[in-house]
Amino acid sequence: MTDLQTRRNAMPPLQDAFPGTVVSALVQMLSRLGAREAFGVSGGAMAALWDALSSSSLGVYHFRHETGAAFAAIEACFASGRPTVLFTTTGPGLTNALTGIVAAREERARVIVVSAYTSASSRGRFAIQETSRSTLPPSLYEAGRPFHFASVVDDPAQLAAIERGLAAGLGRRSGFVAHLALDTAVQRAPAPPLQTLPWVAPESAEAPPRAQVAACVDALSDGPFAIWVGYGARDAAAEVATLARRMQAPVMCSPRGKGIFPEDDPLFVGVTGLAGHASVMRYLDECRPRRLLVIGSRLGEPTSFWDRRFVAPRGFVHVDVDPEVPGAAFGAAPTLAIVADAGATLRALLAELRPTGHPILELPHPRIERVQPRREGLVRPEALMDAIQTWVVDRSNATVLSESGNSFLWTTHRLRFSEPHRYRVSTGMGAMGHAAAGVIGAALASGRRAVAVVGDGALLMTNEINSAVKYDAPAVWVVLNDGRYGMCAQGMDALGLSADAEIPQVDFASFARAQGARATRVDHEVHLDGALAEAMAADGPFVVDVRIDPRCKAPASLRNASLADRLSLHRERTFPVA
């Protein structure tokens, strides 16, 4: 048990605020449903709720901005495996959180948003931060998008039905984002007694029907196939490895799927999509698998760029819990859709599938050559990634979160993971600042080190270092500080376009110390090892400000080629050399 968890467990439980009221009943409900952490920003309209949360056994983390709180809630969910709570006040409290709420939906997180709602007696009278269906989009209060479940709570009698609805939704294996809007007039109203429903893990996974299993076995037995692993397979890593090794099937992964199958395994051929490896396309061109078995990936633009070369002669066998996913990315390709849990499906296949004796070909692999540290000049990102590989990936169990932008490109391309649940990136929403704030949620929920690799633009956009200091979160930021929006600058240059993407350079070490965090600055590559060793050994938050050589080009040729296609520039599509 970590020091953070020991301190939390040693804290005596506080008495419920407003006992017997709607807010106290709601907080007890959230705890029964499995929530252990709540992130948000306070406000007068939700004062009673905030007090009830703070007087409960939940870990309540008051952030500096709702967007950062939302990102932290997402990453706390993935780090703990439990649902998390995001609380906001009216008006800008809720609207500030929307980017994170949409990201939670896209990431398939389980987050319950609790916001304040202007009471009926105040609506239409120009109340402060008036918030209702008439002042904000009605979709915020209805099931659909962005919420799977939504309810305006203006009657205590609703609580029992709300608990049943939340319990059912949290049992889904494909993510669940809910919104409870608490009428300010009902927050302290007496609550009826509720049935005590203990939290249970997501619904036990059932295997697909036998006919589908048989069809899948037939499809995978008639010729060589490769496995394409996505983030949805993260809890089926053992089954993926067993299947690959039994069938001697090569494995590639999406950017979010790194580590689910060990990247140092002889069967691993590389990462696909954004910042992917050229070895993947060499494998497809040279070895020509008959089918691709896709497990837990949406095959969207960041994973595939919808490149037709991924369509094998007999198409895909596509396993996903979401019925809308199989066949969506490559609509014209033959697809055998298996709508079921990845682990349950693979266990059913393993019970039936036997080695076919197809010849084993020599496979291409990613070529990531370490660079020799130099004493002079700014830090090359390649050298920084090598140091992160040594001090963070290989010598610790820390979760690594990578920010959108060039941080994502460098970490996805160069870092190598051999176990699941170690690497987190957001590719669907891809909001800047997600990792910069999310790292705190991951650290607090897991009780162990979490490391965010971020750009200077992202850390200026969403900064929660002060929040990390308050809660002594074991979070580390490694800042690629090059005084520019690096991906934007590089992309514009590659497209032959011009724009000003520079940022006045910030001393992030001083910036962090001013907020109470420990920090160090790295100007030369020979100091990387010492800085990262110090950061990983430190207690509490730590910032490593790395002055990056802006002349080094991130592996973004796939992304730039895709943009060029859209702009009708007809540039030749190339792949990163690795």
Side-chain angles (χ1 to χ4, degrees):
M1 183 177 293
T2 66
D3 291 342
L4 181 66
Q5 291 169 321
T6 301
R7 291 197 302 271
R8 182 184 298 171
N9 292 343
M11 293 175 63
L14 300 174
Q15 297 299 313
D16 285 337
F18 309 117
T21 63
V22 166
V23 287
S24 65
L26 177 61
V27 171
Q28 293 168 19
M29 177 197 304
L30 295 172
S31 180
R32 286 197 299 272
L33 292 169
R36 294 295 178 269
E37 289 86 23
F39 302 84
V41 180
S42 62
M46 45 82 68
L49 171 66
W50 189 24
D51 191 59
L53 285 167
S54 301
S55 301
S56 73
S57 60
L58 296 181
V60 181
Y61 303 105
H62 190 248
F63 271 46
R64 307 299 164 260
H65 196 274
E66 292 85 357
T67 300
F71 292 145
I74 293 170
E75 296 309 321
C77 167
F78 287 122
S80 68
R82 288 178 173 271
T84 51
V85 177
L86 171 64
F87 58 90
T88 83
T89 190
T90 47
L94 180 58
T95 59
N96 284 346
L98 276 178
T99 297
I101 290 168
V102 174
R105 174 87 179 224
E106 290 298 309
E107 293 290 314
R108 296 180 176 179
R110 290 183 292 154
V111 176
I112 301 171
V113 181
V114 186
S115 73
Y117 192 84
T118 302
S119 65
S121 62
S122 299
R123 286 177 225 147
R125 300 172 60 196
F126 308 106
I128 295 173
Q129 298 178 342
E130 182 171 340
T131 302
S132 68
R133 286 188 177 93
S134 61
T135 60
L136 291 182
S139 59
L140 296 179
Y141 305 100
E142 301 167 355
R145 284 190 179 273
F147 298 108
H148 297 96
F149 177 96
S151 178
V152 174
V153 185
D154 53 12
D155 185 340
Q158 297 171 261
L159 290 177
I162 287 171
E163 182 163 14
R164 290 193 296 271
L166 293 178
L170 291 170
R172 294 159 39 102
R173 301 189 70 85
S174 57
F176 180 70
V177 182
H179 180 204
L180 305 180
L182 293 184
D183 187 306
T184 55
V186 81
Q187 292 182 27
R188 299 190 193 185
L194 299 177
Q195 179 183 1
T196 301
L197 299 174
W199 179 77
V200 294
E203 60 194 16
S204 58
E206 296 184 0
R210 288 190 58 84
Q212 285 194 344
V213 174
C216 189
V217 169
D218 289 344
L220 299 179
S221 299
D222 70 351
F225 69 93
I227 302 172
W228 199 349
V229 178
Y231 190 64
R234 64 191 179 278
D235 294 325
E239 291 87 347
V240 170
T242 300
L243 177 64
R245 290 161 187 161
R246 177 187 296 181
M247 305 302 294
Q248 286 297 290
V251 180
M252 52 193 182
C253 72
S254 70
R256 292 204 308 163
K258 284 172 67 70
I260 294 172
F261 187 80
E263 293 187 75
D264 57 359
D265 192 283
L267 290 171
F268 184 72
V269 298
V271 180
T272 67
L274 193 59
H277 298 125
S279 50
V280 171
M281 304 316 294
R282 287 201 303 270
Y283 163 71
L284 293 175
D285 291 341
E286 296 169 6
C287 301
R288 300 183 181 279
R290 192 164 297 187
R291 278 190 175 86
L292 295 184
L293 170 60
V294 181
I295 308 171
S297 174
R298 289 172 285 200
L299 302 187
E301 183 180 12
T303 295
S304 71
F305 288 106
W306 307 306
D307 193 318
R308 293 289 302 174
R309 285 176 289 180
F310 283 114
V311 180
R314 299 196 179 179
F316 302 103
V317 175
H318 198 152
V319 181
D320 201 278
V321 293
D322 188 341
E324 296 181 359
V325 166
F330 294 92
T335 300
L336 172 58
I338 308 293
V339 180
D341 174 76
T345 300
L346 294 180
R347 289 190 291 272
L349 289 177
L350 288 166
E352 305 289 339
L353 201 56
R354 297 293 177 264
T356 58
H358 297 302
I360 301 174
L361 303 175
E362 183 175 350
L363 300 175
H365 303 290
R367 294 194 300 270
I368 307 297
E369 302 293 338
R370 293 181 71 93
V371 299
Q372 187 66 29
R374 62 189 185 189
R375 290 191 167 274
E376 301 300 327
L378 295 173
V379 177
R380 292 167 294 172
E382 296 92 333
L384 174 58
M385 293 303 119
D386 290 349
I388 292 173
Q389 181 73 46
T390 298
W391 292 99
V392 178
V393 181
D394 296 341
R395 298 189 184 182
S396 83
N397 66 348
T399 301
V400 178
L401 297 88
S402 187
E403 194 62 80
S404 294
N406 279 355
S407 303
F408 168 94
L409 299 176
W410 287 116
T411 56
T412 299
H413 191 72
R414 291 192 67 89
L415 298 185
R416 301 169 304 284
F417 295 85
S418 59
E419 55 190 322
H421 305 289
R422 289 288 308 278
Y423 186 61
R424 276 286 302 146
V425 293
S426 171
T427 56
M429 188 63 174
M432 290 178 64
H434 186 130
V439 66
I440 304 172
L444 290 171
S446 68
R448 65 174 190 270
R449 269 273 178 242
V451 178
V453 183
V454 304
D456 47 357
L459 198 56
L460 289 170
M461 186 176 291
T462 304
N463 176 269
E464 291 288 348
I465 295 172
N466 187 264
S467 301
V469 169
K470 177 173 182 178
Y471 300 109
D472 197 27
V476 174
W477 291 263
V478 179
V479 188
L480 279 68
N481 188 352
D482 58 2
R484 69 200 62 225
Y485 290 111
M487 176 181 273
C488 297
Q490 182 176 329
M492 292 294 282
D493 182 65
L495 296 172
L497 304 175
S498 178
D500 178 11
E502 293 190 0
I503 302 170
Q505 200 149 41
V506 174
D507 182 347
F508 285 101
S510 296
F511 181 64
R513 293 189 195 104
Q515 299 181 74
R518 296 179 62 185
T520 189
R521 173 173 156 178
V522 178
D523 293 301
H524 305 297
E525 292 172 6
V526 292
H527 300 139
L528 283 170
D529 287 345
L532 288 172
E534 181 184 6
M536 295 305 291
D539 293 327
F542 199 104
V543 173
V544 182
D545 180 3
V546 185
R547 297 301 172 98
I548 293 295
D549 189 341
R551 297 172 299 177
C552 297
K553 300 299 184 184
S557 57
L558 279 172
R559 168 66 169 166
N560 295 333
S562 177
L563 290 173
D565 287 346
R566 294 184 191 179
L567 293 172
S568 301
L569 298 181
H570 304 296
R571 300 260 177 124
E572 179 181 358
R573 176 167 295 195
T574 59
F575 291 87
V577 178

